[in-house]
Amino acid sequence: MGFDRSGNRVKGLTAFQLKMLALFFMTLDHIGAFAFEIPVVERYYTYLRSIGRLAAPLFLFLLVQSIRHTRSKPRFLLRLYLAGMCTGLFVTAMNACFGEVFHYFTPGNIIFTFFYTALYVILLERLIAAWKARDLRALAVSALLLAASLLPTAFAMTIRNAIVPSGVSIQVNFLLSGLYSSLLPTFHTIDYGIGFVILGVAMCFARTKNRQCLVFALFCVICIVGADAILWLPFDIFKMQTFGFVQTFLNLLQCRMIFALPFMLLYNGERGRRCKWFFYWYYPLHREVIFLLSNLVAP
């Protein structure tokens, strides 16, 4: 249950309630991912990671709602980038301080996944508007901006390969990924890869909640069918695409993300309580706390 803007009780879940559920699922997932050396966590590892599969789709669904309803899309995009950059730089600092000591580096930054999703929604909307208006100048600018979104990755790879000594390449990669994680397959690709970005863009252009849920359901069906099909292939397809769509989505564990669908359908369209910055703080901090505690507690 939630409340609308007039204070009346409405059925379903508000955006705030969905976000809290997604935070809970994410925390369980990261306990399994970063504290698996603790015996009690290892015992329930599969359950924790399975429940955790619901988190990212719920966050993506909420991102889609935010993109559709934000008053200023450029400001929203800037906030995502700054949050992703601060998270990346924080992780870089923690890896520099504790990575060598514990022989482990905290991976991933899903905020940049959300940044790319919002970026391409905004650019595609500009491209479509320019096409409908037959504005060739705006059409060219929008197309160039779409192409330019890949330039930071190419620049970062060039700088790293050209001037970075091999002994510090890992640290430089962490620093570059903190400033702008890659959409393309590189040392530090965004969490869930381009497949998740495409899913988010498709859901956003679906407009209504039911259509968005349908897009997500179809995506899950493709993943489930694909995960079952590759079991019958006569070669190891994972070796062909180590960090690609196949390994990320076409596996039985990740297919359990379909159980996020009922929660999406329960969304009642209300924002609920405001917690704009809480996720951005909680996301990097809880991962490092879990990881550091696991290294202190694990035998």
Side-chain angles (χ1 to χ4, degrees), residues 123-199:
L123 291 179
L124 286 172
E125 286 180 339
R126 288 171 57 94
L127 193 67
I128 292 170
W131 176 264
K132 290 181 177 179
R134 298 294 190 272
D135 188 338
L136 296 180
R137 181 179 178 182
L139 191 66
V141 170
S142 299
L144 286 173
L145 288 173
L146 277 170
S149 66
L150 301 178
L151 290 179
T153 295
F155 176 76
M157 293 176 65
T158 302
I159 293 296
R160 185 190 68 197
N161 295 333
I163 66 174
V164 177
S166 58
V168 295
S169 60
I170 293 179
Q171 288 79 4
V172 172
N173 268 294
F174 278 123
L175 179 60
L176 292 174
S177 68
L179 297 174
Y180 203 91
S181 286
S182 171
L183 184 68
L184 300 176
T186 61
F187 184 84
H188 274 289
T189 309
I190 58 171
D191 275 7
Y192 291 96
I194 192 171
F196 212 60
V197 173
I198 293 173
L199 172 62

Side-chain angles (χ1 to χ4, degrees), residues 16 60 122:
F16 172 79
L60 186 67
I122 293 171

Side-chain angles (χ1 to χ4, degrees), residues 48-85:
L48 292 170
R49 299 309 306 276
S50 296
I51 295 173
R53 297 309 88 203
L54 280 65
L58 287 178
F59 281 126
L60 186 67
F61 176 78
L62 291 169
L63 174 78
V64 168
Q65 311 313 315
S66 297
I67 295 173
R68 296 250 57 92
H69 298 101
T70 185
R71 295 179 180 177
S72 174
K73 291 182 180 179
R75 187 181 302 173
F76 178 71
L77 189 65
L78 177 62
R79 185 167 75 242
L80 281 173
Y81 173 73
L82 292 176
M85 182 186 68

